[in-house]
Amino acid sequence: MNRNHMLLAAGAAFSIAAQAATVQVTVLARDGQPLSNAVVVVEPAGGIRPAAPAPVQATIAQEKMQFVPMVSVLPVGSRVSFVNQDAWEHHVRGVPAGVARLGSSPAGIELRLAGKVDGKAPTSADVTLATPGALQLGCHLHGSMRGFVYVTDSPFAVQTDANGVASLRDVPEGAASLRVWHSDQLLEGKPIKVNITPVTAVSVPTQVTPRRRRP
Ligand SMILES: [Cu+2]
């Protein structure tokens, strides 16, 4: 496969008139392997702005020197509890992530979370994500800790799984563009034009070489 070319495999269009479709997007790394933890966003063409998704309550743990989950995709307005499950202190910071700084960026995060004491609830702090954009999470004390929060106002933003697959439901049929974000991408790829039919499967090669997560 020529990795510089997009493979667009539009699924069969059925004769049944349908309003909304399921879109399956497979994202591939530079070496052709499935790319997990990528965020796929589908934007209907023609300036149609779908209603923003409802905010949620989410948790990002600091556990065994990692952010768990490493990547969270959350609707704008969501609240995140940062919960320190380790027995030592973490100083969590969140800063706008690299190339995702298009337009607005979320406000930064600075938290000090004391270590967990046996028999007591872990220390936690809540943050409201008021602005769309990507935040990179780190810890002032532990340079190896790395995580991401992708804050979106799109109802069609889904993270790829271990097989590099993102499934988006109830996407309006018709012309749309598709964007892929990944924390290790050097340049944001150009939006890909797609035509959403009742069953749409798209494979998107990228130039991303994902960093290994520390064990
Ligand atoms: Cu830390």
Side-chain angles (χ1 to χ4, degrees), residues 21-162:
T22 296
V23 180
Q24 183 171 306
V25 181
T26 304
V27 181
L28 303 173
R30 188 187 177 95
D31 62 2
Q33 295 298 305
L35 184 64
S36 61
N37 291 323
V39 181
V40 173
V41 185
V42 174
E43 295 168 333
I48 301 163
R49 288 190 66 82
V56 299
Q57 170 73 52
T59 297
I60 299 175
Q62 291 72 65
E63 197 170 353
K64 297 182 181 131
M65 304 285 278
Q66 294 189 335
F67 291 101
V68 181
M70 189 181 76
V71 179
S72 302
V73 179
L74 296 170
V76 68
S78 294
R79 261 182 107 63
V80 180
S81 293
F82 288 87
V83 182
N84 183 5
Q85 300 286 1
D86 285 332
W88 51 86
E89 202 174 14
H90 288 300
H91 291 189
V92 174
R93 66 165 186 273
V95 296
V99 296
R101 248 176 311 191
L102 297 171
S104 58
S105 9
I109 295 171
E110 283 284 348
L111 304 170
R112 284 175 169 229
L113 298 169
K116 188 173 177 343
V117 177
D118 270 354
K120 294 195 174 173
T123 308
S124 70
D126 283 10
V127 172
T128 299
L129 305 165
T131 315
L135 283 173
Q136 177 165 356
L137 303 175
C139 174
H140 286 297
L141 304 180
H142 308 109
S144 67
M145 292 178 66
R146 192 164 169 265
F148 295 88
V149 182
Y150 190 95
V151 185
T152 181
D153 57 5
S154 169
F156 311 119
V158 172
Q159 190 177 158
T160 57
D161 62 16

